[in-house]
Amino acid sequence: MSEGGNVTGGGHLEVNGTMMWYYHICPREVWLIGRQITPYKEDDNMEMGRYISEKSYKRERKEVEIGPVKIDVLSARNGRVVVGEIKKSSKYMESAKMQLLLYLDILQKAGIEAEGELRVPLERKRERVVLDEENKKKLEHAKRDILRILYLGKPPEPKKVNWCTKCAYREFCWS
Ligand code: SF4
């Protein structure tokens, strides 16, 4: 997934799905992504995730670009668009859910009512995600906090989290 929106690029700054995903894992990573600081090498997990995402549900999905994000539209259900987010494992479901909520919000602002579906093909799991009032509040709070992080003059200090062992920035933080 390639998404626009960064601090160094100038212009209007928008929170994208990648930032939303990492926000629930590591604020330092959000800052680094926002500054377009590129990891030293492609992370194996990123590669694997991309592979699963590209190979799964090939027949029913269609990639649509709206604003700062690219969205996988899976199908229409009862007259509503269903947006999918396909993940390698259910380990970071909260991040994936918030990412989907961001996409649903962008679609709603464009006049498209949609619901989300989180899919973990390797675990044969699916979870429905809807942009209700409670989720809207959670999303707005997360968006505001991501912008606060992005505008910090320097990155938040590194803190060891489970993700560090497979993070593409690990050498940047822990060498
Ligand atoms: S290595 Fe750890 S602290 Fe550094 S950006 Fe990655 S997750 Fe965050």
Side-chain angles (χ1 to χ4, degrees):
M1 182 185 299
S2 117
E3 298 181 323
N6 60 76
V7 175
T8 54
H12 182 55
L13 178 62
E14 289 173 280
V15 174
N16 66 32
T18 308
M19 293 168 187
M20 186 58 76
W21 199 79
Y22 283 112
Y23 172 64
H24 290 83
I25 292 171
C26 172
R28 181 175 169 87
E29 187 145 359
V30 171
W31 191 94
L32 292 168
I33 290 165
R35 301 289 164 137
Q36 292 197 309
I37 294 169
T38 314
Y40 291 123
K41 59 180 178 183
E42 275 289 2
D43 189 275
D44 289 347
N45 283 288
M46 281 161 73
E47 278 298 300
M48 173 65 98
R50 209 170 286 155
Y51 178 81
I52 291 167
S53 177
E54 278 165 11
K55 297 291 171 200
S56 306
Y57 313 111
K58 225 173 174 177
R59 267 172 302 172
E60 54 176 324
R61 59 196 288 213
K62 187 172 171 41
E63 198 174 67
V64 177
E65 203 167 339
I66 299 182
V69 297
K70 279 184 183 165
I71 293 171
D72 276 334
V73 174
L74 293 179
S75 57
R77 182 189 292 154
N78 301 327
R80 294 190 111 198
V81 171
V82 179
V83 176
E85 189 59 34
I86 298 156
K87 293 296 177 197
K88 184 183 149 197
S89 86
S90 53
K91 208 169 170 191
Y92 296 100
M93 283 302 251
E94 183 61 17
S95 287
K97 187 178 162 186
M98 292 305 291
Q99 199 178 35
L100 250 186
L101 288 172
L102 177 71
Y103 299 161
L104 296 179
D105 184 53
I106 290 168
L107 284 171
Q108 194 176 64
K109 285 179 176 135
I112 301 164
E113 288 301 327
E115 63 180 51
E117 192 164 280
L118 279 177
R119 295 184 175 190
V120 189
L122 295 182
E123 298 174 19
R124 295 178 185 275
K125 277 189 188 163
R126 290 182 184 206
E127 187 184 322
R128 187 170 172 246
V129 177
V130 290
L131 189 64
D132 55 19
E133 283 311 309
E134 196 187 333
N135 282 337
K136 266 187 192 175
K137 275 187 204 152
K138 266 171 80 175
L139 182 68
E140 285 312 312
H141 178 270
K143 277 162 70 177
R144 274 198 303 275
D145 204 38
I146 288 170
L147 288 174
R148 178 193 64 77
I149 292 166
L150 291 174
Y151 281 112
L152 290 173
K154 57 182 187 163
E157 290 298 312
K159 274 191 194 154
K160 282 269 186 216
V161 291
N162 290 339
W163 183 258
C164 289
T165 54
K166 51 192 158 193
C167 178
Y169 291 104
R170 58 191 176 274
E171 285 148 0
F172 189 82
C173 296
W174 303 113
S175 293

